[in-house]
Amino acid sequence: MKFSAILPAAGNGSRMNLKDNKIFFPIVGKPMILHALRPFLYHDTIENIVIAVAQQDFDRMQTLLAPYTKCKVVIGGQDRAKSVYHCLQYLIENASTQFVVVHDAARPFLTDALLNKIIANTLQYNSAIPVLPATDSFILTANGKYNQNIIRANIAAVQTPQGFPLQTLYSAYQAVFSTYIQALKNNEFTDDSSIYAKSGEQPHLVQGEAKNKKITYIEDILSIQQQTLTGIGQDIHPFAKEGDSIVLGGVKICAKAKLIAHSDGDVLVHAVIDALLSAAGLADIGSYFPNTDAKYKDCNSLQLLQEIFTMLQQKGYMIGNISISILAEHPKIAPYIVQMKENIAQILQMDIGKIGITATTAEQLGAIGRGEGIFVTALATITSLI
């Protein structure tokens, strides 16, 4: 069963006292909305993602999400409920999916595990609402004064994403909009489960995650923590007896011979790939692109780098910086370094200034010093939210 996802993002972040919509606020170098979208972008079960934004943010969001073909941007409403309704209308008219998950655009910590739980429970129970038991004490107040206490065991904090059958949720919204007009004006429906329940349906509750918090105040952003991981990659290739060029960093360079390799022999890119994989605690390049597989024969190593980058994105990693050291007696590398940086930066969607490439010789010592091959070491850092 395929799902669609909805992210209402038409608010203005007034409680954060920002001049800009908070969903564009950078977290670890990327707008918050991209962190919130990540689990949906790379999930095989999610085939459409609809994001509702304010009119003034429409063009900006279109540009930001242009690389992601799953995403559709629509104009939202004056409040969350109307924004979700606009997204539901779009899906009813344009999509064939049977189920929908609705997620807050300001929840950037959603894990794949929780999304999988929501999808599985929606399929089994026709809805799935993540909740967390209350840990604080709660009271009712009237005019700023104590009224009565509330039994903590009866209280739970509601999270997103929330899963429903698409048509059922759409009908629930239609019913609420036609019957509970004053309640809508009073902003009594703050999430989709409340509208689903008001229409007579019984939401199915599942255990949420404490990590899956919503960014509401500036203090929430200031408390965000990230981890930085470092990896080292090395690769070496000998020269063949034939050929007249090599490939380094995706650049074709005239040389006395080609490098012996199953792929295009791009020893620089191979070292970068291993550094990234090492930082993420994953297996080495040969595990993903074995030299016994004919489809990688003479392949462009930049394409392999693209696959690894997509894998890291799926896992929520962002590239920090890359440092590369080339050890070779020949050919001359310096004239090609800028183009190498540009090629890698384009694939990894990073600032070229965060890529360092140096080249030196082995002073005629050892096999590299005798000009028998090229040796490259790469250091990479990656970051993720924790």
Side-chain angles (χ1 to χ4, degrees), residues 19-316:
K19 296 180 179 179
D20 198 8
N21 190 331
K22 66 181 177 182
I23 61 170
F24 295 112
F25 194 94
I27 299 177
V28 196
K30 298 175 74 171
M32 185 191 306
I33 182 67
L34 291 184
H35 291 284
L37 280 170
R38 181 202 59 80
F40 305 101
L41 288 172
Y42 302 106
H43 201 292
D44 291 340
T45 303
I46 305 294
E47 62 179 5
N48 302 291
I49 306 172
V50 188
I51 302 96
V53 300
Q55 180 69 59
Q56 65 267 23
D57 293 330
F58 183 82
D59 291 341
R60 183 179 180 184
M61 186 66 79
Q62 285 271 61
T63 301
L64 179 65
L65 299 182
Y68 307 107
T69 56
K70 281 187 180 183
C71 295
K72 171 67 178 179
V73 184
V74 301
I75 301 299
Q78 295 179 339
D79 54 40
R80 185 187 189 281
K82 289 187 176 65
S83 290
V84 173
Y85 185 60
H86 288 181
C87 294
L88 289 169
Q89 284 182 312
Y90 174 84
L91 289 173
I92 290 292
E93 295 170 2
N94 297 280
S96 59
T97 47
Q98 190 174 347
F99 296 92
V100 64
V101 287
V102 186
H103 186 54
D104 297 324
R107 286 188 192 267
F109 306 102
L110 174 62
T111 65
D112 295 332
L114 182 55
L115 177 56
N116 288 335
K117 181 191 293 187
I118 297 301
I119 289 173
N121 278 267
T122 301
L123 291 173
Q124 184 173 357
Y125 299 103
N126 241 24
S127 64
I129 316 300
V131 298
L132 287 178
T135 55
D136 294 321
S137 295
F138 290 85
I139 61 171
L140 286 178
T141 62
N143 299 320
K145 295 182 179 181
Y146 179 91
N147 188 317
Q148 69 179 75
N149 70 303
I150 300 174
I151 299 175
R152 186 164 53 190
N154 295 335
I155 299 293
V158 181
Q159 299 181 323
T160 66
Q162 300 178 5
F164 311 91
L166 173 59
Q167 184 61 59
T168 304
L169 185 62
Y170 181 61
S171 298
Y173 264 85
Q174 288 181 311
V176 165
F177 279 4
S178 62
T179 306
Y180 298 97
I181 299 175
Q182 190 57 49
L184 285 166
K185 290 181 179 179
N186 295 339
N187 200 29
E188 294 180 17
F189 300 103
T190 56
D191 76 326
D192 307 284
S193 68
S194 58
I195 290 180
Y196 186 75
K198 202 70 173 178
S199 68
E201 300 288 344
Q202 178 63 46
H204 175 72
L205 306 183
V206 300
Q207 180 72 26
E209 292 181 350
K211 177 181 179 180
N212 184 34
K213 57 186 177 183
K214 186 178 180 182
I215 303 299
T216 304
Y217 301 102
I218 192 67
E219 291 81 3
D220 297 327
I221 288 181
L222 296 177
S223 66
I224 291 175
Q225 294 181 324
Q226 69 181 72
Q227 63 177 347
T228 299
L229 305 168
T230 303
I232 297 176
Q234 295 181 326
D235 197 24
I236 186 170
H237 283 288
F239 282 106
K241 296 184 181 299
E242 73 280 350
D244 58 6
S245 64
I246 63 171
V247 177
L248 276 184
V251 180
K252 187 175 181 180
I253 303 172
C254 291
K256 69 173 187 179
K258 67 179 182 178
L259 292 172
I260 298 174
H262 183 65
S263 64
D264 60 4
D266 195 330
V267 61
L268 185 150
V269 171
H270 297 171
V272 170
I273 289 175
D274 263 342
L276 293 170
L277 291 170
S278 173
L282 301 172
D284 63 22
I285 185 173
S287 300
Y288 296 97
F289 313 113
N291 59 14
T292 55
D293 193 330
K295 72 177 180 180
Y296 299 121
K297 178 66 174 173
D298 299 324
C299 72
N300 184 339
S301 292
L302 288 177
Q303 295 177 357
L304 307 183
L305 182 61
Q306 177 65 68
E307 290 189 36
I308 296 302
F309 178 58
T310 300
M311 182 192 307
L312 294 181
Q313 284 187 305
Q314 291 173 350
K315 295 180 178 297

